[in-house]
Amino acid sequence: MKNLQKLPIYLLAAGLFVFASCESDDPIQENEGEVITDVTLLFTELDNAGNPVGLTFSFDATDPEGIEVGGAPTIETVTLEAGKTYRMQIEVRNSIENEDITEEILEEADEHQFFFLGSAFSGSSAPLTYVYADESGELIGVRGTVTVAANPSFNNAQMRVVLRHDLDKNYPGADSPNFENFVQAGGETDLDITFPLVLN
């Protein structure tokens, strides 16, 4: 203590300043976007009454580093039949942490929402239409109905799937699954991936 008392007061002040500076420079933990390594689109054909027909089939997009982080995800081409209606479900995982992100999305349903864009859904001649059909009634997009035009104007398109987190779902237009200006509703993008689409 005697040695400490002999130190000039300005050295003590400087030491406290450096310590405080180090403390304030420490990064504040924020709620970062989800790391998603695997996305699966599952399709089940529906009859005119909305009942499932046949087997469910799926298409995947994967990147072991994370789809929004890695450089080149592997993306399968989605193939659908003209004139048919499908139930589409989305499963997302973080294989790095072995986490089921779909479960988190459903638990935080009021904070998450998928949007469906690209030439497959956008414009008057878009071959696909999408309607939210989540079991909870919340607009999420984990489950929905996709209808393929009977006579599509083109057979090749792009299915862009965007997952937003912490958005304002009451923002005008945000209740549309094809809302092009989704950024205006705020929040962050957890996923933005485009699947090639081929219609038979």
Side-chain angles (χ1 to χ4, degrees):
M1 282 296 291
K2 290 182 179 179
N3 290 338
L4 185 60
Q5 289 172 348
K6 292 180 181 178
L7 285 174
I9 194 72
Y10 67 88
L11 284 180
L12 284 174
L16 289 172
F17 175 79
V18 169
F19 178 78
S21 296
C22 290
E23 288 291 313
S24 63
D25 285 346
D26 289 341
I28 297 170
Q29 289 291 84
E30 295 182 0
N31 187 7
E32 297 179 359
E34 307 288 0
V35 175
I36 296 172
T37 59
D38 303 89
V39 179
T40 301
L41 306 182
L42 300 102
F43 291 87
T44 307
E45 184 182 344
L46 302 176
D47 63 18
N48 292 335
N51 299 312
V53 178
L55 300 175
T56 297
F57 54 97
S58 63
F59 305 95
D60 299 312
T62 62
D63 192 311
E65 297 179 8
I67 289 172
E68 291 298 306
V69 179
T74 301
I75 306 172
E76 294 183 337
T77 298
V78 175
T79 304
L80 301 176
E81 300 288 327
K84 293 192 174 181
T85 298
Y86 301 90
R87 175 184 298 144
M88 184 176 80
Q89 293 179 260
I90 302 179
E91 294 178 354
V92 289
R93 289 193 59 79
N94 176 353
S95 61
I96 299 169
E97 301 292 337
N98 194 27
E99 291 178 336
D100 182 353
I101 304 299
T102 315
E103 190 176 305
E104 281 188 41
I105 292 169
L106 292 172
E107 287 173 357
E108 301 173 358
D110 60 329
E111 299 178 9
H112 289 89
Q113 189 170 342
F114 284 97
F115 294 98
F116 304 92
L117 308 167
S119 57
F121 297 101
S122 303
S124 57
S125 60
L128 303 185
T129 56
Y130 180 94
V131 177
Y132 291 115
D134 295 284
E135 292 179 286
S136 66
E138 180 86 43
L139 302 183
I140 312 167
V142 166
R143 185 168 115 165
T145 304
V146 172
T147 301
V148 186
N151 298 294
S153 302
F154 43 89
N155 295 328
N156 294 281
Q158 303 293 314
M159 286 181 62
R160 183 182 174 199
V161 179
V162 176
L163 174 60
R164 294 289 285 182
H165 180 201
D166 206 24
L167 73 162
D168 177 7
K169 291 194 174 191
N170 294 316
Y171 187 87
D175 58 347
S176 167
N178 313 125
F179 185 43
E180 295 276 0
N181 298 319
F182 59 84
V183 173
Q184 295 178 3
E188 299 175 345
T189 295
D190 285 340
L191 176 71
D192 189 343
I193 192 161
T194 300
F195 288 81
L197 170 69
V198 173
L199 301 177
N200 295 323

